[in-house]
Amino acid sequence: MKTVKPKESEAAQTVDVTDLILNDIQTGVLAPGSWLKQIDLERRYGCGRPDVRRALDRLTQKRIVEHVPNRGYHVFEPDGDRARQVSEIRILLETGVADRIIDNATAGAIAELRRLADQFDAVILDGTTIDLYEANLAFHHALLSLCGNDELVSLVTEIRQRTSSAPVSQWITRARIQQSSLEHYEMVDAINMKDVEKLKSVIVRHIRQ
Amino acid sequence: MKTVKPKESEAAQTVDVTDLILNDIQTGVLAPGSWLKQIDLERRYGCGRPDVRRALDRLTQKRIVEHVPNRGYHVFEPDGDRARQVSEIRILLETGVADRIIDNATAGAIAELRRLADQFDAVILDGTTIDLYEANLAFHHALLSLCGNDELVSLVTEIRQRTSSAPVSQWITRARIQQSSLEHYEMVDAINMKDVEKLKSVIVRHIRQ
DNA sequence: GGCGCATAAATTGGTGCCAATTTTGGATAA
DNA sequence: TTATCCAAAATTGGCACCAATTTATGCGCC
């Protein structure tokens, strides 16, 4: 293992170690099932022991890693049932605020959504898996933010992190990715036409994949 | 401040310090806005410094306390807007699974719910605020568990903790408590009659208070 | 008498060290 | 050759100490 950010070893740590580890888990760098040794993380992210412990504890609380006393922490194996349950939760929440999203969508907001949809579409061709992941996140975050319920937005953001630990296994085919992109545009169109039911159905399709 | 559980100072710590602090916050023992000094918590709960730090960090993640660098941790002030947003989330989730609750409700499950509703009703007369809080939690947990989505149950349990930090301010009047109890029975009846819409409307009323 | 400043107390937050437990490696015996 | 047991290395997890920052106290000055 090599240090990820050697240049920032001295700089003021503006970004939490937790997010760094989380990112590496979700991009597959730290494989599901693998053990996270404190020494390794310490060296890899150039931080102290307490930082590593705090990060591992936080990830345990988020149920992204599992803690076995006196053994250590290891990345959770992807659980199909759990992923489906989280999807159901997302469907309930996101379709539940579909009407409010449409109500609050100004022309500017719609334009911004279309821009983000374009951005996602652009990185399909030349972009890493991480780029795709981030662009997708950005679109959905902007979409959901229109509902006006900040708590709901942060909640969905949080539970999304719980299951997409293996994006590779989810987005295996390029066809699926392009389908996702199309659905993004469908959502924007539905909002533009103020068609609540249409928006809901697209959201359900999109989350269920 | 005195030690809460002196008898268990030597025993194997089966319950997390985090839950102890959380309980004291939600029952109003640790008032909103008050500063949580590490040395006090350490003595009060009879645990070491690392335990206190972990607990405070976890509560910060749950956004129940706020952390000010180099100043300490203090209990979040109750936020009306946020409470309303969390209520909206609960409404979306709990009404969203109302049909599944009814589908999965066996005769035994209904009997159990009625027993828990009775229990809540019983502690209205002779019971502390904590007893009420716990009985209410037990009923709603049992009710929600019928939906079959464990993730959703734990999620709702989690977000409930975020806002009910001042139960005193919520359940000021005894009339309101008795109204809650009545609504519990209404829910059980609606489940018994397999009336989804009735159940949904009661849930909405119950959460919105 | 009230305000400002310097000093002292208190609290947080980090670092390092050491005990407890587990895993690994190897030697011995069946 | 394979299974078992013992010892050594490695890892986790807690404890105690110390630096940095903030808050309280008291003195002097206006």
Side-chain angles (χ1 to χ4, degrees):
Chain A
M1 281 194 185
K2 289 203 66 179
T3 305
V4 167
K5 291 188 166 189
K7 59 173 181 177
E8 276 194 1
S9 56
E10 284 285 339
Q13 181 177 302
T14 160
V15 51
D16 197 336
V17 193
T18 312
D19 298 326
L20 267 55
I21 301 178
L22 182 60
N23 236 8
D24 281 345
I25 290 176
Q26 293 187 325
T27 55
V29 178
L30 297 172
S34 65
W35 288 92
L36 302 175
K37 298 204 188 80
Q38 297 184 6
I39 290 279
D40 291 339
L41 302 176
E42 199 172 323
R43 281 197 265 254
R44 179 178 171 82
Y45 303 102
C47 60
R49 181 64 59 99
D51 297 298
V52 171
R53 289 192 192 172
R54 199 173 23 219
L56 289 173
D57 187 66
R58 287 180 181 173
L59 293 173
T60 305
Q61 295 300 307
K62 287 171 177 279
R63 300 186 33 194
I64 288 161
V65 305
E66 188 180 13
H67 175 56
V68 184
N70 291 320
R71 289 277 311 272
Y73 301 80
H74 64 88
V75 184
F76 249 96
E77 306 274 356
D79 184 342
D81 280 340
R82 218 179 127 202
R84 222 169 303 122
Q85 292 187 340
V86 170
S87 294
E88 286 306 307
I89 294 174
R90 281 188 58 197
I91 288 174
L92 285 179
L93 291 178
E94 302 195 32
T95 59
V97 293
D99 51 348
R100 254 169 282 181
I101 288 175
I102 288 180
D103 286 345
N104 298 335
T106 63
I110 294 174
E112 172 68 8
L113 278 179
R114 192 159 270 133
R115 194 186 65 77
L116 290 169
D118 285 338
Q119 200 166 310
F120 179 85
D121 203 64
V123 291
I124 291 179
L125 289 176
D126 52 345
T128 64
T129 312
I130 299 120
D131 293 334
L132 261 174
Y133 182 77
E134 306 235 325
N136 187 51
L137 219 67
F139 175 83
H140 283 278
H141 192 273
L143 176 74
L144 208 55
S145 295
L146 293 176
C147 79
N149 189 329
D150 298 334
E151 277 296 316
L152 192 145
V153 174
S154 66
L155 192 69
V156 172
T157 307
E158 194 185 314
I159 64 171
R160 290 194 74 159
Q161 296 178 338
R162 292 189 184 173
T163 47
S164 47
S165 40
V168 190
S169 65
Q170 287 189 345
W171 292 349
I172 20 172
T173 67
R174 175 148 306 200
R176 177 60 238 167
I177 298 173
Q178 282 174 335
Q179 180 63 27
S180 282
S181 184
L182 282 177
E183 285 163 356
H184 288 170
Y185 288 115
E186 280 190 78
M187 291 183 212
V188 178
D189 290 339
I191 294 171
N192 200 28
M193 295 188 295
K194 301 202 178 302
D195 188 340
V196 178
E197 290 309 316
K198 175 78 186 304
L199 178 58
K200 283 188 182 178
S201 69
V202 179
I203 288 175
V204 172
R205 243 193 303 138
H206 190 70
I207 295 178
R208 284 236 177 84
Q209 298 239 347
Chain B
M1 283 192 185
K2 289 205 66 180
T3 305
V4 168
K5 292 188 164 188
K7 58 174 182 176
E8 276 192 2
S9 56
E10 284 285 338
Q13 181 176 302
T14 158
V15 51
D16 197 335
V17 192
T18 313
D19 298 326
L20 267 54
I21 300 178
L22 181 60
N23 247 313
D24 282 346
I25 290 176
Q26 294 186 325
T27 54
V29 178
L30 297 173
S34 64
W35 288 92
L36 302 175
K37 298 204 190 83
Q38 298 184 5
I39 202 82
D40 289 338
L41 302 176
E42 197 172 325
R43 280 196 265 253
R44 179 177 170 82
Y45 302 102
C47 61
R49 182 64 58 97
D51 295 299
V52 172
R53 288 192 193 172
R54 200 177 19 225
L56 287 173
D57 186 66
R58 287 180 181 174
L59 293 173
T60 305
Q61 295 300 306
K62 287 171 176 281
R63 297 183 41 191
I64 289 161
V65 304
E66 187 179 14
H67 175 56
V68 184
N70 291 321
R71 289 278 310 273
Y73 301 80
H74 64 87
V75 183
F76 248 91
E77 305 273 357
D79 183 343
D81 280 341
R82 219 180 127 203
R84 222 169 303 121
Q85 292 187 340
V86 170
S87 294
E88 286 306 308
I89 294 174
R90 281 188 59 196
I91 288 173
L92 286 178
L93 291 178
E94 301 195 32
T95 58
V97 293
D99 52 348
R100 254 169 283 181
I101 288 175
I102 288 179
D103 286 345
N104 298 335
T106 62
I110 294 174
E112 172 69 8
L113 278 178
R114 190 159 273 134
R115 193 185 66 77
L116 290 169
D118 285 339
Q119 199 166 310
F120 180 85
D121 203 64
V123 290
I124 291 180
L125 289 176
D126 53 345
T128 65
T129 313
I130 299 121
D131 294 334
L132 261 174
Y133 181 78
E134 307 236 323
N136 187 52
L137 218 67
F139 175 82
H140 282 278
H141 191 273
L143 176 75
L144 207 55
S145 294
L146 292 175
C147 79
N149 188 329
D150 299 334
E151 277 296 316
L152 193 145
V153 174
S154 65
L155 192 68
V156 172
T157 307
E158 196 185 315
I159 64 171
R160 288 193 72 146
Q161 297 177 337
R162 290 189 185 172
T163 48
S164 46
S165 40
V168 188
S169 66
Q170 287 188 343
W171 292 348
I172 22 173
T173 67
R174 173 147 306 201
R176 178 58 239 168
I177 299 174
Q178 282 174 335
Q179 180 63 27
S180 282
S181 184
L182 282 177
E183 285 163 357
H184 288 169
Y185 289 114
E186 280 191 78
M187 291 184 212
V188 178
D189 290 340
I191 294 170
N192 201 27
M193 294 187 297
K194 300 202 180 300
D195 187 339
V196 178
E197 291 309 316
K198 174 78 186 303
L199 179 58
K200 283 188 182 178
S201 70
V202 179
I203 288 175
V204 171
R205 243 193 305 138
H206 191 69
I207 295 178
R208 284 235 176 87
Q209 298 239 347

